[in-house]
Amino acid sequence: MRRGRFITFEGGEGTGKSTQARRLATHLRARGHEVVETREPGGSPGAEAVRHVLLSGAAEPLGPSAEAMLFAAARADHVDTLIRPALAAGRIVVCDRFLDSTRVYQGALGAVPAALLDALEQVAAGAARPDLTFVLDVPSEIGLARAAGRGAAADRFEAQGADYHGKVRAAFLARAAADPARCVVVDASGPADAVEAEIARLADARLSAPAGAS
Ligand code: T5A
């Protein structure tokens, strides 16, 4: 049975992931694809309940390893109830953040050991791995200004300092460099329409290739 495709958006705060995930989903539907839009942390009722605990900072005193376990618990529910069934039905899943975010925020920044993250990844995601990941890249001060411009209060991760967000950016670029068959870095500092056109072009090219081809 032909499996659907799994596309993720990754990057630091305010790089435009939510905006571009929504626009790509619209583009793909216009081309006749069945698309499921979702996000992490969250994406299913159980995972959305955990999202609040994580982003409010309530879990921060437990430390990065416990936070990684909570992200994984949310992810396990999200994958079981939404992502895996959608892929099995041949749909395209477009997800705003996924495994790379854990590797960057809890791994590279939180120093959670890779062996623990490997185990959590296997339990939570199993074989549900992205086929294509757009890593949106902008200087972190621009991303933070964009995120602040939305007017909402900063969450537990956004509230970290400039040095932290510079390291987040570098860690996402390192993830992309380590897996070039899956990851495409997109310069997201230009206007949203230009970024959207570039992502649509890249996605169309990838989707016209057979599943599993890179
Ligand atoms: N996290 C998450 C972990 O630590 N571990 C994990 O495993 C996971 C999954 C999630 C937080 O959780 C952490 C990382 C995060 O800190 P969130 O609320 O989902 O928190 O926050 P973000 O994913 O960072 O979402 P943001 O909304 O902050 O950023 P986006 O989605 O990148 O940006 P977007 O599209 O909302 O745009 C932000 C603003 O910029 C404008 C938009 O209109 C909007 O106002 N904009 C642009 N402006 C100018 N030019 C462009 N090209 C623009 N594109 C968008």
Side-chain angles (χ1 to χ4, degrees), residues 13-67:
E13 274 65 23
T15 50
K17 300 174 299 299
S18 309
T19 302
Q20 296 301 335
R22 191 168 55 243
R23 290 181 181 212
L24 178 63
T26 301
H27 169 80
L28 294 175
R29 286 190 186 106
R31 293 179 67 89
H33 296 287
E34 276 191 69
V35 182
V36 174
E37 279 176 80
T38 190
R39 69 166 181 184
E40 290 210 343
S44 62
E48 289 288 334
V50 181
R51 175 185 173 90
H52 175 71
V53 174
L54 285 162
L55 298 194
S56 68
E60 189 176 2
L62 304 177
S65 291
E67 285 185 306

Side-chain angles (χ1 to χ4, degrees), residues 13 138 146:
E13 274 65 23
V138 301
R146 285 183 188 169

Side-chain angles (χ1 to χ4, degrees), residues 13-14 16-19 51 71 97 102 105-106 150 157 190:
E13 274 65 23
K17 300 174 299 299
S18 309
T19 302
R51 175 185 173 90
F71 276 111
R97 294 195 183 278
T102 305
Y105 289 88
Q106 284 66 54
R150 286 175 321 196
F157 297 94

